[in-house]
């Protein structure tokens, strides 16, 4: 089983460029979320989705958009990249909204110069 | 609001016990988790505890929960070099009457195991 797949693994962007981080899961999970990981700050929730067509903001949503047109895919869009968005991004999925285990992708390391 | 705090670093010798501590602010948390992150990888669930329990043991791992003090700890017995990783405490947080639980993570504790 592939689990949660993120692409790309590494990316360098120039300030002002836009790009989409891809996340796909093959476990038919309802709940998907995006986190960013920064040194000393743990994982902070950017956006999440409780099912196809439903998304909501997390702790740090500014500068990011998401959509959930299918159960499997949950892309994260950076509209105009800024150096402050240099981070490692993780996508996670859970079967439901409750206490189920979260499965994480391998991460995307993004550098904005 | 919700907040989860951990110390950032712990160093132990191989064979010793490791204790990683975590405090949280949301008294309505129903589940608390420990995740492990190895270098260059995503997070993997190690263990979790329901808020109506005060202890859970799983092989070398012991989780202790003090609800009064909102304190969670993870003890790793007979720590091995393969246990070197970042350990994240997380709580499942429900906002108001929402039934959507959000996972809120601490900063992560880097465990260094010296041979």
């Amino acid at each position: 089983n592939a689990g949660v797949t993120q692409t790309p693994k590494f990316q360098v962007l120039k300030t002002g460029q836009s790009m989409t981080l891809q996340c796909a899961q093959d476990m038919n999970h309802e709940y998907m979320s995006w986190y960013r990981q920064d040194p000393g700050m743990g994982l902070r929730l950017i956006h999440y989705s409780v099912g196809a067509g439903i998304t909501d903001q997390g702790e740090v949503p500014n500068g990011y958009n998401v959509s959930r047109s299918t159960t499997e895919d949950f892309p994260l869009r950076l509209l105009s990249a800024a150096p402050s968005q240099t981070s490692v991004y993780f996508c996670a999925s859970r079967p439901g909204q409750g206490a189920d285990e979260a499965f994480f992708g391998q991460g995307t390391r993004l550098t904005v110069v | 609001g919700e907040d989860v705090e951990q110390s950032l670093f712990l160093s132990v010798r191989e064979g010793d016990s490791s204790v990683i501590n975590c405090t949280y602010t949301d008294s309505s948390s129903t589940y608390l988790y420990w995740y492990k992150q190895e270098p260059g990888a995503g997070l993997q669930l190690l263990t979790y505890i329901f808020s109506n329990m005060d202890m859970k043991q799983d092989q070398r791992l012991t989780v202790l929960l003090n609800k009064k003090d909102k304190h969670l700890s993870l003890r790793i017995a007979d720590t091995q070099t393969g246990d070197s990783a970042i350990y994240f405490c997380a709580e499942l947080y429900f906002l108001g009457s929402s039934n959507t639980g959000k996972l809120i993570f601490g900063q992560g504790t880097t465990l260094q195991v010296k041979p």
Side-chain angles (χ1 to χ4, degrees), chain B residues 18-91:
Chain B
S18 308
V19 179
I20 302 171
N21 294 302
C22 170
T23 57
Y24 59 97
T25 56
D26 180 31
S27 58
S28 64
S29 290
T30 52
Y31 295 89
L32 294 138
Y33 303 83
W34 285 104
Y35 279 83
K36 178 182 180 183
Q37 183 184 33
E38 295 186 350
L43 279 70
Q44 287 189 301
L45 181 67
L46 269 183
T47 187
Y48 65 92
I49 189 167
F50 299 150
S51 58
N52 62 357
M53 297 167 67
D54 51 19
M55 187 182 93
K56 180 178 180 181
Q57 187 145 6
D58 183 1
Q59 299 181 341
R60 292 190 297 122
L61 306 179
T62 303
V63 179
L64 294 178
L65 174 61
N66 182 327
K67 274 197 80 173
K68 176 175 168 289
D69 295 339
K70 297 178 192 167
H71 182 266
L72 183 74
S73 68
L74 173 70
R75 179 177 180 270
I76 305 173
D78 188 24
T79 313
Q80 303 297 306
T81 53
D83 295 324
S84 293
I86 303 176
Y87 291 81
F88 289 92
C89 168
E91 65 168 342

Side-chain angles (χ1 to χ4, degrees), chain A residues 43-54:
Chain A
L43 275 74
R44 291 182 291 168
L45 183 63
I46 304 171
H47 285 285
Y48 64 97
S49 168
V50 300
I54 307 169

Side-chain angles (χ1 to χ4, degrees), chain A residues 31 35 37-38 40-45 48 50 57-59 90 94 97-107, chain B residues 2 8 31 33 35 37 40-45 50 86 88 92 94 99-108:
Chain A
Y31 189 102
Y35 291 87
Q37 182 180 19
D38 302 292
M41 303 190 75
L43 275 74
R44 291 182 291 168
L45 183 63
Y48 64 97
V50 300
Q57 296 181 349
E59 301 170 76
F90 286 99
R94 305 202 319 255
Q97 302 169 31
D100 315 280
E101 177 182 353
F103 293 83
F104 283 81
Q106 294 296 300
Chain B
E2 66 283 12
L8 295 182
Y31 295 89
Y33 303 83
Y35 279 83
Q37 183 184 33
L43 279 70
Q44 287 189 301
L45 181 67
F50 299 150
I86 303 176
F88 289 92
L92 190 65
F94 290 88
N99 61 359
T100 300
K102 294 189 283 187
L103 272 179
I104 305 298
F105 287 85
Q107 304 94 320

Side-chain angles (χ1 to χ4, degrees), chain A residues 99-113:
Chain A
D100 315 280
E101 177 182 353
F103 293 83
F104 283 81
Q106 294 296 300
T108 297
R109 185 174 292 276
L110 176 69
T111 302
V112 182
V113 298

